[in-house]
């Protein structure tokens, strides 16, 4: 039994079920276990290790910063904090904006909401988010999330949060007849909700531009239409880029696929910001939002906001993405991965839909029958045979991520091409066995 099994509370699981290997090291896209195994990481752990594990540039940057200065609060200046803010504004094109550093994605999203309300002069303004979305697991972030797992723990309306149907084209809640029409209809619903409450009462719309653990990838029509909707009503648009940024979806930030037509007013960042080498989140504010806040007192704070070690890791991460051309590499390898997944779909009736492909992120949605689209199990339950598939993959030295009926593919951007191909071949074989087990009702 792993040493932690009796002493640590582990996330998103029943504690008696937790039985994970102990990781003692890593290199590139591989994790090294205490019992000597090498495991290929096909999910970047929690979709956060974009640069792989133990990236040498980041390890060295943290070591050098620790020798100079480990910590100073945000009340004082710190060179790596200033440099990282400068780089984030440069890569996002938010000239004249500002950056507020947090500890991770949940508090980045909560602070983006705080700033939107304060800058807009709407201290109790409504915030519109999506059903079946995830923005974190603190109480405020749970209210923002449309997550079935935590829905009974928090009342969104008490936090002045409204949920709208998602742009889920495969199961379109608007009964649209095409992906584009579904994306447009989802944006139109948000416009209708803003108008019903009055734009003066709505502070912000908070949405993921692309990747998320909910497995919904919006049609290309959605984000630009949403941006037009919020612009026309003077409502801030917050892009939750916690998972989708830093090359995951083939751009520095996923909204950049749409050019200036997709530019949000604020962005929430984390995960790939340091490649998960150290905890760090951020809110990037446009010049207009920053100007509105600058004359006001900011009644918020985090002891470790802009921690120098974390910011040094962030600077090294951005330098690594750039020096190794990993944003373009994600686009190229992502297209290759997506083509292979489409080929797998043709040969396996359990693969109902394949989504993503803009970078090294893709979703397989599994169904009992392709024609009926009947889910493999009720959302967000994990079918017992899918659980067995994950175990068989781990036994073969590959770690895949799944949630409900979804297999989420998000390998590190540094993964080797042969490793990626071998992992997809393994997944194809295991899905074939899964299809047989579902069809016959027998364990393969």
């Amino acid at each position: 039994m792993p040493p932690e099994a009796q002493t640590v509370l582990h996330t998103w699981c029943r504690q008696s079920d937790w039985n994970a290997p102990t990781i003692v090291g890593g290199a590139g896209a591989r994790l090294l276990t205490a019992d000597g195994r090498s495991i290929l990481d096909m999910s970047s752990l929690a979709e956060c290790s974009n640069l792989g594990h133990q990236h040498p540039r980041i390890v060295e940057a943290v070591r050098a910063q620790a020798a100079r200065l480990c910590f100073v609060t945000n009340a004082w200046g710190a060179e790596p904090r200033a440099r990282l803010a400068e780089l984030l504004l440069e890569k996002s094109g938010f000239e004249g904006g500002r950056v507020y550093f947090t500890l991770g994605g949940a508090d980045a999203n909560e602070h983006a909401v705080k700033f939107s309300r304060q800058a807009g002069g709407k201290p109790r303004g409504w915030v519109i988010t999506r059903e079946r979305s995830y923005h974190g697991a603190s109480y405020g972030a749970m209210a923002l999330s449309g997550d079935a797992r935590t829905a009974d723990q928090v009342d969104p309306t008490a936090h002045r949060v409204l949920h709208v149907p998602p742009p889920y084209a495969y199961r379109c809640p608007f009964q649209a007849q095409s992906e584009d029409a579904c994306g447009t209809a989802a944006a139109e619903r948000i416009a209708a909700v803003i108008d019903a409450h009055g734009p003066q009462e709505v502070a912000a719309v908070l949405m993921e531009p692309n990747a998320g653990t909910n497995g919904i990838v919006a049609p290309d029509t959605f984000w630009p239409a949403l941006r037009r909707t919020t612009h026309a009503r003077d409502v801030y648009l917050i892009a939750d880029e916690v998972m989708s940024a830093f090359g995951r979806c083939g751009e520095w930030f996923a909204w950049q696929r749409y050019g200036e037509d997709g530019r949000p007013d604020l962005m929430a960042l984390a995960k790939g910001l340091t490649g998960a080498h150290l905890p760090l989140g951020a809110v990037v504010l446009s010049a207009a939002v920053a100007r509105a806040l600058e004359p006001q007192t900011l009644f918020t704070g985090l002891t470790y906001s802009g921690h120098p070690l974390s910011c040094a890791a962030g600077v090294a991460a951005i330098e690594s993405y750039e020096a190794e051309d990993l944003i373009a590499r994600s686009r190229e390898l992502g297209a290759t991965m997506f083509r292979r997944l489409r080929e797998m779909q043709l040969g396996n009736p359990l693969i109902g839909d394949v989504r993503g492909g803009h970078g090294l992120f893709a979703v397989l949605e599994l169904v009992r029958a392709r024609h009926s689209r009947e889910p493999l199990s009720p959302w967000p339950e994990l079918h017992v045979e899918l659980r067995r598939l994950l175990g068989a993959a781990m036994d073969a030295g590959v770690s895949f991520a799944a949630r409900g009926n979804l297999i989420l593919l998000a390998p590190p951007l540094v993964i080797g091409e042969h490793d990626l191909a071998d992992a997809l071949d393994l997944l194809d074989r295991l899905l074939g066995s899964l299809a047989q087990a579902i069809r016959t009702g027998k364990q393969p």
Side-chain angles (χ1 to χ4, degrees):
M1 181 177 290
E4 296 181 34
Q6 302 297 322
T7 58
V8 176
L9 277 176
H10 293 92
T11 58
W12 301 112
C13 71
R14 185 182 292 110
Q15 300 307 302
S16 58
D17 292 341
W18 189 85
N19 186 28
T22 297
I23 304 302
V24 296
R30 292 187 173 274
L31 296 163
L32 307 178
T33 67
D35 58 3
R37 287 180 293 156
S38 172
I39 298 175
L40 184 64
D41 178 7
M42 282 294 289
S43 68
S44 299
L45 292 177
E47 296 85 24
C48 57
S49 297
N50 295 13
L51 289 162
H53 307 288
Q54 300 299 112
H55 192 287
R57 185 192 300 266
I58 302 179
V59 171
E60 179 53 38
V62 172
R63 182 183 290 116
Q65 182 60 43
R68 290 193 298 271
L69 173 70
C70 282
F71 176 64
V72 68
T73 66
N74 187 257
W76 303 78
E79 290 178 354
R81 187 191 304 137
R83 178 59 181 152
L84 182 55
E86 181 181 39
L87 286 171
L88 290 173
L89 293 171
E90 174 189 311
K91 297 303 179 188
S92 62
F94 275 47
E95 183 179 350
R98 286 182 180 255
V99 180
Y100 180 82
F101 288 108
T102 69
L103 311 187
D107 52 343
N109 281 317
E110 289 192 16
H111 277 88
V113 168
K114 282 186 185 182
F115 300 149
S116 294
R117 285 173 170 158
Q118 185 169 348
K122 304 171 184 177
R124 288 184 50 76
W126 290 97
V127 177
I128 299 172
T129 64
R130 283 178 6 196
E131 298 166 3
R132 193 162 152 170
S133 63
Y134 180 76
H135 301 290
S138 59
Y139 272 104
M142 285 194 298
L144 294 169
S145 301
D147 192 330
R149 298 170 297 179
T150 58
D152 61 348
Q153 297 185 47
V154 65
D155 175 11
T157 59
H159 291 262
R160 305 286 284 180
V161 174
L162 299 164
H163 292 155
V164 295
Y168 184 9
Y170 186 63
R171 303 181 187 278
C172 186
F174 310 101
Q175 286 75 54
Q177 298 304 303
S178 70
E179 287 194 6
D180 285 352
C182 189
T184 301
E188 289 173 347
R189 175 63 63 86
I190 294 167
V193 171
I194 295 173
D195 292 342
H197 285 76
Q200 71 280 1
E201 298 296 327
V202 178
V205 175
L206 168 63
M207 302 271 166
E208 295 158 313
N210 193 315
T213 55
N214 54 75
I216 295 172
V217 177
D220 284 342
T221 52
F222 173 70
W223 191 260
L226 176 61
R227 175 69 282 192
R228 291 191 295 271
T229 289
T230 53
H231 257 319
R233 290 160 178 80
D234 198 24
V235 170
Y236 289 133
L237 177 59
I238 304 170
D240 178 350
E241 292 264 12
V242 169
M243 182 176 160
S244 58
F246 302 106
R248 176 56 57 201
C249 295
E251 307 286 347
W252 282 101
F253 309 100
W255 64 262
Q256 290 175 327
R257 284 188 62 237
Y258 308 106
E260 286 302 307
D261 290 342
R263 180 179 294 280
D265 299 293
L266 305 94
M267 292 192 298
L269 306 173
K271 293 187 182 286
L273 177 55
T274 67
H277 286 73
L278 282 175
L280 186 65
V283 183
V284 181
L285 296 79
S286 69
V289 178
R291 294 298 87 75
L293 290 175
E294 284 168 357
Q296 306 183 51
T297 300
L298 210 59
F299 291 111
T300 193
L302 299 163
T303 298
Y304 300 119
S305 176
H307 194 291
L309 290 180
S310 296
C311 288
V315 170
I318 290 179
E319 290 173 347
S320 299
Y321 290 122
E322 196 160 39
E324 298 169 38
D325 203 19
L326 292 178
I327 309 301
R329 188 173 196 270
S330 177
R331 280 197 299 272
E332 293 160 8
L333 273 188
T336 299
M337 181 174 76
F338 196 70
R339 284 194 299 271
R340 179 71 179 95
L341 295 173
R342 288 286 200 188
E343 292 171 1
M344 290 164 54
Q345 182 185 24
L346 293 176
N348 193 315
L350 291 190
I351 303 177
D353 196 26
V354 182
R355 301 190 283 274
H358 303 123
L360 274 168
F361 173 76
V363 180
L364 300 183
E365 179 162 349
L366 305 183
V367 295
R368 289 185 176 274
R370 193 176 296 158
H371 67 277
S372 68
R373 302 189 181 186
E374 179 188 354
L376 200 59
S377 59
W379 178 262
E381 294 177 17
L382 193 68
H383 194 281
V384 63
E385 296 296 347
L386 182 51
R387 196 179 300 277
R388 287 196 182 103
L389 180 152
L390 298 177
M394 186 70 79
D395 290 342
V398 181
S399 173
F400 291 107
R403 182 179 173 198
N405 303 303
L406 310 176
I407 296 176
L408 304 171
L409 296 153
L413 311 189
V414 298
I415 190 171
E417 294 178 31
H418 291 299
D419 275 344
L420 178 60
D422 289 347
L424 295 176
D425 287 345
L426 172 65
L427 181 60
D428 194 12
R429 294 193 297 272
L430 293 175
L431 283 171
S433 298
L434 175 60
Q436 181 182 4
I438 297 296
R439 185 171 60 252
T440 64
K442 297 179 181 179
Q443 182 178 342

